[in-house]
Amino acid sequence: MIDWREIDTVLLDMDGTLLDLHFDSHFWLEHLPKRYVELHQLDIASQDALRARIIGEQGTLNWYSLAYWSRELGVDIVALKREVQHLIGLRSDALDFLIWLKQAHPRVILATNADRASLALKLPLTGLENYLDAIISSEDVGAAKEEQAFWFALQEREPFDAARTLFIDDNARVLESAREFGIKHLLGIKQPNSQRPEKELQAFIALDRFAQLLPDNLPGQRGER
């Protein structure tokens, strides 16, 4: 699927790509609305209103900002996330893929819309930092991956050749933005949430498993970093 001789840089999304999206979907659409109603002693119909409000911010920096939602809703979002942090976990063979990349391939960068508060929660629980050369959050650059500004800022901070870069993400809008920027090798994820059906990414090839990307001659063929 990928000719690794043509790749110098691997950009990886976090939620829904390396990590199972079940945690985020459950938290934002189920746990937070339920706890919000309980904490503010509201009627149950307020859950639907909050879900609509959250979805209305999709694709913006606000959507990904825990500080924004804590301020807007008058709750401690990080504390509420910790109540269900046992749901945070890697997708299927993501760890095997990261291990292979660390052993056999050049620069690996986490390019995520998750803010730094989310990263502070998830990185210690998953060990992702051990396999990454750099981490860039949309919060760091002031633009979400859906915007061209993110990619220009990323390239300025962590220079890469777009023609020799592989980017993997579960979000079609983000992949479209990356393609507009000029990133040549783009792959989606078929089932970002293990508890929900596969989804179609009509404009992009989508992965079942990361093992599909590994060459026949496994780790060490290009030397360790």
Side-chain angles (χ1 to χ4, degrees), residues 134-154:
I135 298 172
I136 300 295
S137 162
S138 60
E139 182 182 32
D140 300 336
V141 303
K145 289 188 293 185
E146 288 86 342
E147 305 170 51
Q148 288 299 289
F150 175 90
W151 302 103
F152 283 102
L154 174 61

Side-chain angles (χ1 to χ4, degrees), residues 1-20:
M1 184 176 288
I2 292 292
D3 183 346
W4 288 101
R5 294 170 297 183
E6 297 181 1
I7 306 297
D8 294 328
T9 303
V10 178
L11 303 177
L12 296 171
D13 171 51
M14 184 172 69
D15 301 315
T17 298
L18 293 177
L19 302 187
D20 192 333

Side-chain angles (χ1 to χ4, degrees), residues 101-215:
L101 287 173
K102 188 173 181 65
Q103 292 175 340
H105 202 269
R107 199 155 182 76
V108 179
I109 300 170
L110 188 71
T112 179
N113 273 327
D115 68 1
R116 285 290 168 175
S118 290
L119 288 167
L121 174 65
K122 293 177 178 179
L123 292 178
L125 294 174
T126 59
L128 287 178
E129 280 181 294
N130 298 325
Y131 305 95
L132 304 170
D133 294 304
I135 298 172
I136 300 295
S137 162
S138 60
E139 182 182 32
D140 300 336
V141 303
K145 289 188 293 185
E146 288 86 342
E147 305 170 51
Q148 288 299 289
F150 175 90
W151 302 103
F152 283 102
L154 174 61
Q155 191 168 62
E156 182 176 346
R157 288 171 177 243
E158 298 289 339
F160 62 92
D161 180 350
R164 296 185 58 82
T165 294
L166 167 65
F167 175 49
I168 308 176
D169 199 293
D170 67 301
N171 186 320
R173 286 180 60 192
V174 169
L175 289 168
E176 288 164 3
S177 180
R179 181 165 60 187
E180 181 181 346
F181 181 74
I183 294 177
K184 181 177 179 182
H185 305 276
L186 300 167
L187 292 171
I189 298 293
K190 278 189 178 180
Q191 192 177 23
N193 184 334
S194 64
Q195 305 302 306
R196 295 189 179 180
E198 293 182 357
K199 64 179 186 178
E200 297 243 350
L201 289 176
Q202 295 182 349
F204 302 95
I205 296 172
L207 297 172
D208 284 314
R209 293 175 58 82
F210 289 109
Q212 294 173 260
L213 299 181
L214 301 184

Side-chain angles (χ1 to χ4, degrees), residues 16-33:
T17 298
L18 293 177
L19 302 187
D20 192 333
L21 198 59
H22 174 55
F23 167 78
D24 295 278
S25 297
H26 174 75
F27 176 79
W28 291 104
L29 299 180
E30 303 297 334
H31 189 70
L32 175 58

